[in-house]
Amino acid sequence: MKKAVEILRRERKLIMMHRSADPDALGSAIAISELFGGDIDISGGINRIARKLLDIFQPKMVENPDFSQYDTIVVLDTGSPSQLYRVPEKVSLIIDHHMYSGEWRSAEHKVIDERAHSCTQIIKRILDNEGIERDGRVSLALLIGMYTDTKGFSRGDFSLLNDAAQCMERARVDINFLKELTKDDNMSVKMAVLKGVQRMRFRMHKNRLIAWTQAKSYEGAVANKMIEIGADVALVGSERDGTVRVIGRASDSLVKEGLHLGRIFSSMGYIMDGEGGGHDGAAGFTAFGDVEYILKITANRIEGEISRIF
């Protein structure tokens, strides 16, 4: 972690995140920019909830930057280069909590901890380990990332709650503040969820429900709702510009039994000439072909993994 801080202290720094950056990615970028300086690349877009952070922090942002103008490029919360809007030729530092795919081998330095519940949690630990003080603003950025990436602390462990409590104390906010900040009343999301659930298909295997559907947008929100209403595994497929994208979620109970969607989706992406990866309970992959066919063979693969576990 000392090496990571040495890199973060360099001048002329660009901070990059995955496309449609969420509050964990943007919170991580804001924390680093506030403490060490650097421009935040938002070329790949920012999701609805993360946009609320822009009003609070007003970070220094750039779009379509010239990579040659930067000596140091830091990539946050990004499991593979394909998740970036544009891929730089050289990367100085990777900080991430997704399953490592091996695709960042050329990076100068990597801090990857799959056991961490958010990228912001890793950054907090880097700061703590190196004795770097953080004020209330930085603590708030880190706290928002931890809160959103764990669905409002609905999953996690003592280390997460301990890290979050320390940030909450410094930021001087409470749970109600976080709930209001991250509340999503977007009507388009509600409609996408209802349509996705309406199209949902499912089957039982080893007393576990595997469900799948298609959605044109907000796939993650659709998958989350499918888990919420009873599915043990939720698969949501979409097709854009000839590329099929599958988003998956797994119930906490099935993850505890040993299912790891990140590993499954990594191999699915490889097999189908795409890319994939993620966490044990939340992952995704890209492929080429018919959406419904890909969803069904993914469901079959999930069945095989459940049979192996049980």
Side-chain angles (χ1 to χ4, degrees):
M1 292 189 177
K2 187 173 184 178
K3 174 67 172 178
V5 171
E6 289 176 359
I7 293 173
L8 291 173
R9 283 180 168 147
R10 294 176 185 171
E11 301 295 328
R12 297 175 63 192
K13 185 164 50 266
L14 180 67
I15 305 166
M16 302 185 72
M17 311 168 288
H18 59 78
R19 290 190 299 270
S20 189
D22 57 17
D24 185 36
L26 184 57
S28 299
I30 289 170
I32 287 175
S33 182
E34 291 258 334
L35 285 170
F36 303 102
D39 299 340
I40 300 175
D41 182 6
I42 59 166
S43 305
I46 299 171
N47 76 12
R48 301 175 314 284
I49 304 300
R51 285 189 176 277
K52 297 182 180 182
L53 275 67
L54 301 182
D55 294 332
I56 297 173
F57 297 97
Q58 299 183 339
K60 186 178 179 182
M61 301 175 293
V62 293
E63 288 191 74
N64 298 312
D66 180 356
F67 293 142
S68 67
Q69 298 302 307
Y70 297 92
D71 297 323
T72 303
I73 294 181
V74 178
V75 178
L76 304 173
D77 197 38
T78 304
S80 68
S82 65
Q83 294 177 320
L84 293 174
Y85 180 73
R86 291 168 60 218
V87 182
E89 185 175 336
K90 294 177 66 177
V91 174
S92 308
L93 175 64
I94 300 292
I95 303 177
D96 188 35
H97 67 125
H98 297 90
M99 185 184 71
Y100 182 49
S101 64
E103 296 179 73
W104 292 118
R105 285 187 297 271
S106 61
E108 179 183 346
H109 188 66
K110 298 178 286 291
V111 181
I112 299 175
D113 184 0
E114 187 184 343
R115 297 167 299 177
H117 300 284
S118 67
C119 190
T120 43
Q121 190 179 17
I122 297 175
I123 291 172
K124 178 190 176 294
R125 292 175 181 176
I126 291 173
L127 301 178
D128 288 349
N129 285 349
E130 297 304 313
I132 298 172
E133 288 294 322
R134 60 183 187 281
D135 60 15
R137 283 173 58 86
V138 170
S139 295
L140 180 58
L142 298 176
L143 176 63
I144 292 170
M146 294 180 208
Y147 181 80
T148 55
D149 240 36
T150 58
K151 297 181 182 178
F153 304 135
S154 63
R155 59 172 179 260
D157 54 18
F158 168 79
S159 67
L160 169 71
L161 296 179
N162 188 49
D163 287 335
Q166 292 176 27
C167 288
M168 192 176 296
E169 181 180 22
R170 294 195 184 189
R172 297 183 181 275
V173 298
D174 57 18
I175 292 291
N176 286 331
F177 172 86
L178 296 172
K179 285 182 178 179
E180 288 299 315
L181 178 68
T182 58
K183 184 166 62 176
D184 191 350
D185 293 326
N186 188 294
M187 187 57 66
S188 297
V189 178
K190 293 180 180 179
M191 292 178 65
V193 168
L194 290 173
K195 289 178 181 178
V197 171
Q198 186 180 37
R199 300 187 191 104
M200 184 175 67
R201 300 182 183 186
F202 62 89
R203 61 186 183 225
M204 183 83 77
H205 183 70
K206 298 284 186 179
N207 206 34
R208 299 295 189 277
L209 280 172
I210 304 170
W212 65 93
T213 190
Q214 294 186 38
K216 294 182 179 180
S217 59
Y218 307 114
E219 298 94 328
V222 176
N224 289 336
K225 180 58 67 173
M226 291 164 67
I227 294 294
E228 186 179 322
I229 63 177
D232 290 289
V233 177
L235 306 171
V236 181
S238 61
E239 189 273 330
R240 295 187 185 91
D241 300 324
T243 300
V244 173
R245 183 179 182 221
V246 176
I247 295 297
R249 300 289 187 269
S251 65
D252 291 341
S253 60
L254 196 49
V255 167
K256 288 178 181 177
E257 294 288 351
L259 188 76
H260 197 299
L261 287 181
R263 293 193 181 96
I264 297 169
F265 280 21
S266 179
S267 65
M268 290 294 295
Y270 177 79
I271 291 169
M272 305 195 74
D273 294 324
E275 292 182 327
H279 306 294
D280 47 11
F285 73 90
T286 58
F288 301 93
D290 178 72
V291 179
E292 190 65 21
Y293 171 74
I294 291 172
L295 285 170
K296 287 180 179 178
I297 63 171
T298 305
N300 291 341
R301 175 66 185 278
I302 297 291
E303 282 190 355
E305 289 297 313
I306 291 175
S307 295
R308 181 185 60 79
I309 294 170
F310 298 102

